[in-house]
Amino acid sequence: MPWVMDLSGRQAWASEAIETLRAAHVPLTLADAPETAATAGIIFAAAQSQDLVSALGMAEYGRCRVLVFGPPDGRLKPWPVLEAGAAECMAWHGQVEPVAAWLQRIEDVETVIDSVLVRDKLAGQSPALRSALRDLVVAAKFGNAPILIQGETGTGKELAARVAHAVSSQRGNLVVVDCTTIVPTLMGSELFGHERGAFTGAVSVRTGACSGADQGSLFLDEVGELPLELQPELLRVVQEGTYKRVGGDRWLHSKFRLICATNRDLACEVTAGSFRTDLYHRIAASVVTMPPLRDRLEDILCLFARFCREATGARTDPDVDPAVQDVLLRRSYPGNLRDLRQLAFRIAARHVGPGAITPGDLPREDRPQAGHLGADQGQNAYDGGPAGAIDPLAVDPLARAVAWAVDAGLGLRDIKERAAEAAVAVAVERSGGNVHSAATMLGLTDRAVQQRQARRTDTGGE
């Protein structure tokens, strides 16, 4: 159930708003802190504050979307609040029905993201991935405009396109056209089809991708490779639903959802004159950026296990030695998901027996190389194999503590919460029990420290 917090200092307008929502049977539970098990929450705040920023931070890591209401006079400016992690920010004017609709939309989107339909194609729980999936689901399920999926190579753009088609209302097929694998002179035939005798070798009529995608979706992978001379024809079929086959003189009709993907900066291509401005603005009605793997560190181990299952046909995730986990987390992945998948396949081919994947299962070229730090540090270094980075565990005690937590099986949310609780406990102890001094030491408000202490007491000081 969605939760509601009052950070206004119990001002009259906020109390009345909460009572109005409850009287209208909007399902809400009063809370002193974001409930990370919920998908949505509402915060009433009179102004931007550290308490508000802290609450939004807790909700964001809990994958919870937050609607922030400010006072009716509009004193609370929306942009800093949205930057702090809120999903929406507006002044309260008694808008009960929009609130109910907003909460329902959040529940609908999160349900789709957590569905097997999506998880089978794009696995992971990192904030970066879920943010991209929210944009994708909203554009695909609740809109019908073209979608442009951006991202580095190997970030799962085609998988995202398949998700977009699967969650949409399109009744037809998803037709995939890889613009990098087709000879430019045959691209027109691939997209629009051709008549018999249109060119040498055209011994029969071909319908083309636009016809095949009718009532469905057309996915153009690496659309930046589309020849400039074909772009006006694509623009016509997207805008008007009409096209001609190569060598034909009859207008044909097709209605489809256009989904494009690119690893290029198409805005720069427009400036350079290699991509039409009108086509770019047409296909970029909704833009979704797939995050690189370096922004999805929380997903690496579960993705590795998934790829190992794919390689071996096993039904359960393999155990992975902590030393191997350490390499996986600190290795660079220039090819992103594709790179991690190939690494998993190499390791799975070398692994023998039912036991854990161990350091010897890593091919020699994927193992970390021993190095040397400066004489003033006097410890061994670790270049992280392909990453070429110094071992943070050798020089950073905090990194060693985090590594222990990861090895113990804690997720990022648990690590963050326990680290915050430990920091509060240490600050209170260092300040001799003075809450205000502890709050100043940590850059928090007195209330935030007290809330942390109360939660620690409620959980038995775990």
Side-chain angles (χ1 to χ4, degrees):
M1 179 182 293
W3 47 266
V4 60
M5 289 178 62
D6 184 1
L7 297 181
S8 70
R10 300 190 180 279
Q11 294 186 11
W13 67 270
S15 299
E16 292 173 2
I18 293 173
E19 289 305 317
T20 299
L21 291 172
R22 298 179 75 177
H25 304 293
V26 176
L28 293 171
T29 178
L30 290 174
D32 294 326
E35 296 183 3
T36 54
T39 59
I42 297 175
I43 295 177
F44 289 92
Q48 180 87 344
S49 67
Q50 184 60 48
D51 279 354
L52 176 58
V53 173
S54 298
L56 291 174
M58 291 174 62
E60 183 177 13
Y61 275 97
R63 303 178 310 178
C64 186
R65 309 293 283 159
V66 180
L67 167 59
V68 176
F69 276 115
D73 59 12
R75 289 197 312 269
L76 183 63
K77 302 305 179 185
W79 309 119
V81 176
L82 294 175
E83 183 66 24
E88 182 60 277
C89 179
M90 63 183 76
W92 172 257
H93 293 295
Q95 52 269 57
V96 175
E97 291 184 4
V99 170
W102 186 87
L103 292 173
Q104 185 61 53
R105 169 61 65 87
I106 292 297
E107 183 178 347
D108 292 344
V109 171
E110 297 299 319
T111 298
V112 172
I113 292 175
D114 290 326
S115 67
V116 174
L117 188 67
V118 175
R119 286 190 287 108
D120 278 352
K121 295 179 175 63
L122 286 169
Q125 294 293 334
S126 63
L129 178 64
R130 291 191 73 89
S131 178
L133 287 177
R134 286 188 191 107
D135 292 340
L136 184 67
V137 169
V138 168
K141 186 174 180 62
F142 302 102
N144 53 21
I147 300 173
L148 175 62
I149 303 173
Q150 302 178 142
E152 299 175 9
T153 181
T155 50
K157 296 187 292 294
E158 182 173 342
L159 295 175
R162 294 185 181 278
V163 166
H165 174 71
V167 305
S168 72
S169 59
Q170 304 300 114
R171 301 187 305 274
N173 298 322
L174 172 68
V175 177
V176 179
V177 176
D178 187 345
C179 298
T180 65
T181 62
I182 303 172
V183 178
T185 55
L186 297 179
M187 185 71 77
S189 174
E190 183 71 23
L191 289 176
F192 310 116
H194 61 249
E195 300 290 351
R196 180 180 178 181
F199 50 84
T200 302
V203 296
S204 62
V205 173
R206 179 173 183 175
T207 57
C210 288
S211 175
D214 189 26
Q215 304 303 315
S217 302
L218 175 62
F219 173 51
L220 299 183
D221 197 9
E222 298 305 337
V223 69
E225 302 288 341
L226 191 67
L228 196 60
E229 59 271 18
L230 281 180
Q231 293 179 21
E233 297 181 55
L234 178 61
L235 180 62
R236 176 182 289 276
V237 71
V238 173
Q239 289 185 156
E240 303 176 11
T242 60
Y243 66 97
K244 290 181 180 180
R245 293 176 184 155
V246 176
D249 56 7
R250 184 164 57 96
W251 288 107
L252 303 174
H253 298 272
S254 180
K255 184 177 181 181
F256 53 80
R257 174 73 162 278
L258 180 64
I259 307 172
C260 299
T262 181
N263 61 11
R264 295 186 180 185
D265 187 338
L266 288 188
C268 290
E269 300 281 333
V270 169
T271 302
S274 57
F275 203 88
R276 288 180 62 102
T277 302
D278 48 6
L279 179 59
Y280 169 71
H281 290 296
R282 187 66 180 180
I283 68 175
S286 294
V287 179
V288 177
T289 301
M290 297 303 295
L293 205 50
R294 61 180 175 274
D295 293 339
R296 299 177 54 190
L297 297 181
E298 304 94 326
D299 296 336
I300 287 178
L301 295 182
C302 75
L303 288 170
F304 175 76
R306 180 191 182 102
F307 292 143
C308 284
R309 293 201 314 270
E310 181 184 345
T312 62
R315 294 185 177 182
T316 58
D317 291 345
D319 292 328
V320 182
D321 185 277
V324 178
Q325 293 183 21
D326 183 55
V327 171
L328 294 173
L329 291 171
R330 292 192 289 110
R331 184 187 189 275
S332 67
Y333 298 94
N336 293 295
L337 296 176
R338 192 176 295 117
D339 198 347
L340 177 59
R341 181 177 182 274
Q342 295 304 326
L343 174 63
F345 271 60
R346 291 196 297 271
I347 292 175
R350 294 170 60 92
H351 178 63
V352 179
I357 292 174
T358 53
D361 291 328
L362 269 69
R364 188 175 301 277
E365 63 272 16
D366 294 307
R367 298 173 186 173
Q369 302 298 316
H372 298 283
L373 291 176
D376 59 326
Q377 294 173 323
Q379 298 190 41
N380 289 333
Y382 172 64
D383 70 1
I390 293 176
D391 181 6
L393 304 183
V395 296
D396 185 353
L398 180 59
R400 287 199 296 272
V402 172
W404 174 88
V406 171
D407 293 343
L410 297 180
L412 180 63
R413 230 182 308 163
D414 289 334
I415 293 173
K416 178 179 178 294
E417 283 299 308
R418 293 198 182 193
E421 289 177 2
V424 169
V426 169
V428 171
E429 189 273 332
R430 293 284 192 273
S431 62
N434 187 307
V435 171
H436 182 71
S437 297
T440 302
M441 190 182 304
L442 295 174
L444 299 174
T445 63
D446 293 358
R447 180 177 177 179
V449 172
Q450 290 167 344
Q451 287 177 333
R452 286 281 179 185
Q453 287 182 302
R455 282 199 295 276
R456 184 176 177 84
T457 302
D458 291 342
T459 58
E462 181 184 0

